[in-house]
């Protein structure tokens, strides 16, 4: 049984202080649900590596009872929510709902602000403190007011998000409302895969959108990162995260639309751009601020201020490759990588192998069919994205990656 305060805490003061009106009950319920699922996901370990390898299955059976304002309303949504959680985690979820006492929820305020500082109708942007979200926030502020919504689990993550948000706001004459939530597991988590983290971020942004009277939410992920094809054929299902996958965004949008009774869209404006292209769309005047963004897989988990990024995880490699392709390596000049060059590490070899497989498929007479055979996960894009757009996206990404390989002098090792 999940116990609030002892197993999970959600601090919404960084959000509530910007609002003059009470948070709508359904919005609060959604965040409570997502935070509860995240806590259970972290607290229940998956099968051990040997068992997973023997059976080819790492799924768990998870049951969760969520305190909400209207249990009957949420019971109708249970099948959709369970399908989304299954898609995100590969686990079997069983959701139940009980009534929570009014005023006893972790996000119920004792006092609201006198005036709202959130621009009405402005679609919030999910802001993680990473490079993609930093670029998207800068681009939004260049044309109008913006709302940034963040979730942090430690003070270093919070510090990074605040530093980048304040820096970008200082470069613009437009108004930025930066809202935040803190989610904490006091006892820690036994499971590190965190496949529900994306749902937690989406729920926090949706809560901000509903409270601000907006009909949607913006996510900043680039297309290659959102689709997130596995690097190795041995990766199965959600071993490659689906946090911002187009299918995830579509399923989540449908749930919120049903919940609120009004059309709601999770928009991904950079879904047809590579990471390098997203960087290129952002003004170089923001490069100094963007140097404070964190992409490294261990960047926030280390909880050390200004800890140098490793330089060799897949996220660091993609950042290095993208900055090189965009001609903006200066963004990485503030904190040097702990590993000077990524070549020679398994993660680099896996990314190079994926790029080679992509190139071979794209050169065939029927590239989409070949891609589906090599990367069956692409079937989940059908009906959501045009095949020609996806082919062009990966064609540009492969060109960028090959150029990066040549700059490292390692292309002959794999081409």
């Amino acid at each position: 049984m999940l116990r609030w305060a002892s197993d999970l805490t959600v601090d919404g003061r960084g959000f509530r202080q910007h609002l003059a009106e009470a948070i709508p009950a359904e919005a609060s319920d959604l965040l409570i649900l997502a935070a509860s699922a995240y806590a259970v996901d972290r607290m229940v370990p998956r099968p051990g590596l040997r068992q997973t390898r023997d059976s080819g299955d790492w799924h768990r059976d998870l049951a969760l009872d969520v305190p909400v304002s209207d249990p009957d309303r949420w019971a109708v949504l249970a099948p959709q929510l369970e399908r989304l959680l299954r898609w995100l985690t590969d686990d079997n979820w069983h959701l139940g709902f009980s009534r929570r006492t009014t005023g006893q929820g972790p996000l119920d305020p004792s006092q609201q602000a006198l005036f709202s500082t959130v621009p009405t109708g402005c679609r919030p942007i999910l802001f993680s403190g990473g490079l993609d979200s930093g670029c998207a926030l800068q681009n939004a502020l260049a044309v109008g007011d913006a709302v940034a919504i963040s979730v942090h689990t430690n003070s270093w993550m919070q510090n990074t998000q605040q530093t980048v948000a304040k820096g970008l706001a200082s470069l613009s004459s437009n108004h930025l409302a930066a809202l935040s939530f803190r989610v904490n597991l006091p006892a820690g988590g036994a499971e590190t895969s965190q496949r529900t983290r994306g749902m937690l971020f989406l729920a926090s942004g949706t809560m901000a959108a509903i409270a601000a009277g907006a009909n949607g939410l913006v996510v900043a992920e680039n297309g290659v990162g959102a689709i997130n094809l596995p690097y190795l054929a041995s990766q199965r299902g959600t071993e490659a995260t689906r946090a911002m996958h187009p299918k995830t965004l579509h399923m989540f949008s449908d749930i919120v639309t049903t919940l609120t009774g009004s059309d709601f869209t999770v928009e991904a404006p950079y879904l047809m751009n590579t990471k390098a292209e997203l960087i290129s769309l952002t003004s170089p005047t923001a490069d100094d601020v963007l140097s404070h963004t964190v992409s490294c897989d261990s960047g926030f988990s280390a909880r050390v201020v200004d800890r140098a990024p490793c330089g060799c995880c897949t996220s660091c490699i993609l950042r290095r490759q993208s900055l090189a392709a965009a001609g903006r390596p200066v963004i990485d000049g503030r904190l040097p990588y702990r590993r000077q060059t990524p070549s020679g590490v398994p993660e680099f070899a896996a990314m190079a192998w994926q790029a080679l497989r992509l190139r071979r498929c794209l050169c065939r007479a029927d590239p989409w069919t070949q891609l589906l055979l090599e990367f069956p996960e692409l079937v989940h894009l059908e009906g959501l994205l045009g095949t020609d757009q996806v082919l062009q996206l990966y064609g540009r990404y492969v060109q960028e990656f090959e150029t990066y390989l040549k700059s490292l002098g390692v292309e002959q090792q794999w081409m």
Side-chain angles (χ1 to χ4, degrees), residues 291-352:
S291 71
H292 292 270
T293 59
V294 174
S295 301
C296 182
D297 289 343
S298 62
F300 289 131
S301 61
R303 305 189 181 205
V304 177
V305 176
D306 275 347
R307 181 175 187 263
C310 72
C312 57
C313 66
T314 55
S315 297
C316 277
I317 295 170
L318 181 59
R319 177 179 174 124
R320 298 174 80 158
Q321 171 263 312
S322 300
L323 288 172
R328 305 275 280 280
V330 66
I331 291 177
D332 271 349
R334 191 178 67 87
L335 282 179
Y337 290 103
R338 299 200 303 274
R339 186 180 179 94
Q340 186 174 3
T341 176
S343 58
V345 300
E347 291 82 359
F348 181 82
M351 294 181 73

Side-chain angles (χ1 to χ4, degrees), residues 11 14 150-159 161-162 179-184 201:
D11 185 347
S150 304
V151 176
H152 58 273
T153 56
N154 61 64
S155 297
W156 167 226
M157 184 184 295
Q158 180 185 27
N159 177 269
Q161 292 167 350
Q162 290 177 340
L179 286 59
S180 66
F181 293 95
R182 183 181 182 94
V183 177
N184 185 43
F201 291 163

